[in-house]
Amino acid sequence: MQREATRHRHVRVGDRDLFVREAGREDAPAVLLPHGYPCSSFQFRRLMPALSDRWRTVAFDWPGFGYSDTPEPAGFGYDFDAYADVLTDVTDVLGLERYALWLHDYGSQISLRHAIAHPDGIAALIIQNGDIYEDVLGPKYATIKAWWADKTDENHRPLEEAVSEEGFRNEFVGEVSGEIASRLPPDLWKLHWPLMDTPVRRAVSVGLMEKLEQNLEWFPRYQSYLRENQPETLIIWGPQDGYMPEESARAYYRDLPNAELHLLRDAGHWLLETHFDEALPLVRNFLSRMLR
């Protein structure tokens, strides 16, 4: 298996520069990898070269994250619609016409908005801990729901406190066992937090938590897209996830009864960090059948 090194560059997308990672031949079937929170395209650094022998993998940092530009809020919406537009611009600039789309964390909701607008571009979906079913949201949503219900300074303060180095660390190691947590490199928060510790980026991160409330209105539309289009789907899930427990994964069967589901029992939200050797064969097997 001939793997190719990951290439790194900045790409002009619209009126801003985005940091892009790519691996694999440009003419190979493509896998598009939008990242979640609190991270960047760094979260796919192991997966990309591991697929590069057969597939073109593309990951990038959203505006306001990682090494990409941080536009002033007056000129960029920093909401799910704005990010969905960025995703479409990325596919246009990089010449991606049909691709498998990875859904994880915030990236799942952004990517499904993109898929609704561009259904012909979606060759397959890979869903890793991405929630679109309101009735099975996990217990960690309680903090955000408290602010949705009563928008006081007191209820808002935990959202602000979560946007910190310690808050980022807790997102990565706070829900899995000590043994599993030991597999998570501190680089994930130690390297990323200094990039995010600016007034605009901190405000962006808090704002995305706030805007999850409006995003709930899109959940039925995401579900309708899946139900009506029946994309080929692999669901690979870490159930030790306070936001998205096992029930959140199984809920996809309501609309995708033929989806392929794998629960990695002691894994959490960041299974590509902790269970990579288990996840990779599942992903490769799926892609070998869907993207030839």
Side-chain angles (χ1 to χ4, degrees):
M1 181 168 59
Q2 182 64 43
R3 295 184 177 181
E4 297 190 17
T6 301
R7 305 177 297 279
H8 309 84
R9 58 180 173 136
H10 280 86
V11 175
R12 194 71 177 171
V13 177
D15 58 356
R16 59 192 64 90
D17 286 334
L18 299 187
F19 178 72
V20 176
R21 304 173 194 259
E22 294 179 87
R25 302 186 329 272
E26 288 194 5
D27 62 347
V31 183
L32 185 55
L33 303 160
H35 70 81
Y37 170 90
C39 203
S40 68
S41 59
F42 184 72
Q43 76 178 75
F44 297 112
R45 70 197 181 281
R46 296 175 69 190
L47 181 67
M48 296 176 70
L51 299 178
S52 65
D53 59 311
R54 294 185 59 181
W55 299 281
R56 178 188 182 187
T57 55
V58 177
F60 63 94
D61 296 345
W62 296 114
F65 288 83
Y67 300 123
S68 287
D69 280 354
T70 306
E72 287 299 320
F76 183 74
Y78 288 111
D79 58 18
F80 292 94
D81 283 335
Y83 281 125
D85 289 343
V86 169
L87 185 54
T88 297
D89 290 343
V90 167
T91 63
D92 291 343
V93 169
L94 298 182
L96 301 176
E97 297 181 356
R98 189 164 170 80
Y99 35 85
L101 189 56
W102 195 282
L103 276 59
H104 179 240
D105 197 84
Y106 287 169
S108 60
Q109 292 135 14
I110 297 165
S111 295
L112 283 172
R113 293 190 189 209
H114 171 80
I116 289 169
H118 305 279
D120 292 342
I122 309 304
L125 298 177
I126 301 175
I127 305 174
Q128 176 208 342
N129 292 63
D131 51 340
I132 64 166
Y133 295 92
E134 186 175 0
D135 63 312
V136 287
L137 296 178
K140 281 192 73 173
Y141 267 97
T143 299
I144 300 175
K145 286 181 176 179
W147 184 77
W148 293 346
D150 186 13
K151 293 181 172 60
T152 64
D153 290 344
E154 181 180 0
N155 286 340
H156 194 263
R157 195 167 300 114
L159 277 61
E160 300 170 16
E161 293 171 350
V163 182
S164 62
E165 182 178 317
E166 184 61 21
F168 282 14
R169 178 185 179 276
N170 288 338
E171 291 293 335
F172 287 105
V173 304
E175 299 166 327
V176 293
S177 69
E179 192 278 323
I180 300 301
S182 71
R183 304 179 191 177
L184 288 151
D187 311 346
L188 290 166
W189 56 92
K190 287 289 188 181
L191 297 183
H192 192 54
W193 172 244
L195 295 174
M196 298 302 295
D197 189 16
T198 72
V200 172
R201 288 190 166 198
R202 291 195 304 270
V204 166
S205 297
V206 174
L208 283 170
M209 289 186 238
E210 296 169 350
K211 291 162 187 168
L212 282 170
E213 182 179 17
Q214 288 75 42
N215 191 53
L216 293 177
E217 299 172 6
W218 275 77
F219 279 16
R221 298 175 67 176
Y222 302 150
Q223 296 159 20
S224 293
Y225 163 78
L226 298 177
R227 189 165 55 252
E228 293 166 9
N229 289 272
Q230 293 297 307
E232 298 287 354
T233 302
L234 169 68
I235 305 170
I236 183 168
W237 205 276
Q240 305 305 315
D241 186 333
Y243 289 112
M244 306 162 204
E246 180 175 335
E247 293 78 7
S248 298
R250 294 193 179 279
Y252 280 93
Y253 277 140
R254 302 174 190 175
D255 299 304
L256 294 172
N258 297 317
E260 179 181 335
L261 171 63
H262 297 275
L263 296 167
L264 307 186
R265 285 294 173 185
D266 56 351
H269 196 70
W270 302 96
L271 62 86
L272 288 182
E273 298 293 339
T274 60
H275 293 69
F276 185 80
D277 290 340
E278 294 175 51
L280 180 60
L282 300 173
V283 174
R284 287 186 62 91
N285 179 272
F286 177 75
L287 291 175
S288 68
R289 291 180 278 121
M290 301 305 155
L291 289 183
R292 299 178 181 176

